[in-house]
Amino acid sequence: METKESTEIKAPLKEHFGNYMVPVRDALEIFSGKWKIPIITALNFYESCGFKELERIVEGITPKMLSKELKFLEENLLITRKVEDTRPVTITYSITEYGKTCRSVMSELYRWGTEHRKKVFNIEGEAWESC
Amino acid sequence: METKESTEIKAPLKEHFGNYMVPVRDALEIFSGKWKIPIITALNFYESCGFKELERIVEGITPKMLSKELKFLEENLLITRKVEDTRPVTITYSITEYGKTCRSVMSELYRWGTEHRKKVFNIEGEAWESC
DNA sequence: CATAGTGATATACTTTTGTATACTGATATA
DNA sequence: TATATCAGTATACAAAAGTATATCACTATG
């Protein structure tokens, strides 16, 4: 037995994981916040929606946040914005084929989150209604 | 053909998805923010660490944030805090068996995030060094 | 002409998240 | 005695995220 074990210096994360964190952060940026997942889910379900439609489907969102998040999702190639030459002008937001690949991440989050709920709150699916 | 299609009212998300979002939010709460994933990764790698050790391993974190996040992770049963009766008192943070289940979520985030990087920035793994 | 719908933007505000810096009390070392 | 380490807390501040409310230009309906 050596005393070395207790005095050993543990290296910073970077030395072991390099830039492992970078893509994890990238993914997290897409899904975190209050509104991105609801918007993606809505467009996954309805394929295409107008701005006012999304305002009603994604309950509680303000136009400022909706506008901001749509811009973000478009920049990240998950949705498209098409301007239709009608009166008044209508704008159609649609999910892209690439946007649909989010489902695998969301279903893993759902799976783990469901287990977590059971573990921490000891709550099963049926009890969600009361939360 | 009916004009109904354009006037059809799309229902709010809740009607189609119920509380599907709740566990997804729960999972996201564990992984979002700047420090939770680095701390979990550090304790996954080293099994056990002291407070000052974590401060050095998780580069850039302030004691305030470290203290706050450790409390959060302990409340969520992902880590444990053990007080050792030494002089000066040392405190050992360890990952729990349950905490290790985070790896499946993190590896899915890593997988999707890596694809996303390729798609949006057209950057491969090797180029991360410059980010 | 008034009202309502389209897709937003502007301003002001609150809350949450994170940073910066200093400090505590106990112990051990130089 | 001065300095350093341990595990944090206290205080102040800055930045990001989100809310609330009003407004814009345009068109269509009553």
Side-chain angles (χ1 to χ4, degrees), chain B residues 60-120:
Chain B
I61 198 167
T62 57
K64 181 187 170 178
M65 288 306 292
L66 181 54
S67 174
K68 187 188 151 199
E69 301 292 47
L70 286 171
K71 221 166 274 173
F72 174 86
L73 295 175
E74 197 197 353
E75 280 164 11
N76 280 275
L77 312 180
L78 302 171
I79 67 170
T80 55
R81 181 182 186 272
K82 214 179 281 171
V83 182
E84 316 273 1
D85 189 13
T86 54
R87 316 124 273 167
V89 183
T90 49
I91 288 159
T92 308
Y93 292 95
S94 311
I95 190 123
T96 60
E97 279 310 306
Y98 175 58
K100 292 176 186 171
T101 68
C102 290
R103 293 186 71 168
S104 66
V105 183
M106 280 160 58
S107 78
E108 176 60 20
L109 288 170
Y110 175 80
R111 191 196 59 77
W112 193 88
T114 303
E115 290 305 306
H116 189 64
R117 227 147 223 267
K118 281 189 211 166
K119 179 93 181 178
V120 175

Side-chain angles (χ1 to χ4, degrees), chain A residues 8-53:
Chain A
E8 225 162 4
I9 290 163
K10 290 167 181 168
L13 275 188
K14 230 181 199 169
E15 291 190 27
H16 298 293
F17 295 94
N19 290 291
Y20 171 81
M21 305 286 179
V22 175
V24 179
R25 289 216 154 286
D26 288 343
L28 231 38
E29 211 194 327
I30 301 295
F31 298 102
S32 64
K34 194 170 177 180
W35 302 114
K36 288 172 205 111
I37 286 187
I39 293 168
I40 292 168
T41 304
L43 288 171
N44 231 315
F45 185 76
Y46 286 117
E47 281 277 344
S48 290
C49 297
F51 189 89
K52 286 284 168 185
E53 272 180 332

Side-chain angles (χ1 to χ4, degrees), chain B residues 5 15 20 25 38 41 43 53 57-59 72 77 92 111 117 119 124 128 131:
Chain B
E5 203 193 355
E15 292 190 28
Y20 170 82
R25 290 215 154 290
T41 304
L43 288 172
E53 271 180 332
I57 297 164
V58 181
E59 289 170 292
F72 174 86
L77 312 180
T92 308
R111 191 196 59 77
R117 227 147 223 267
K119 179 93 181 178
E124 297 287 337
W128 293 345
C131 295

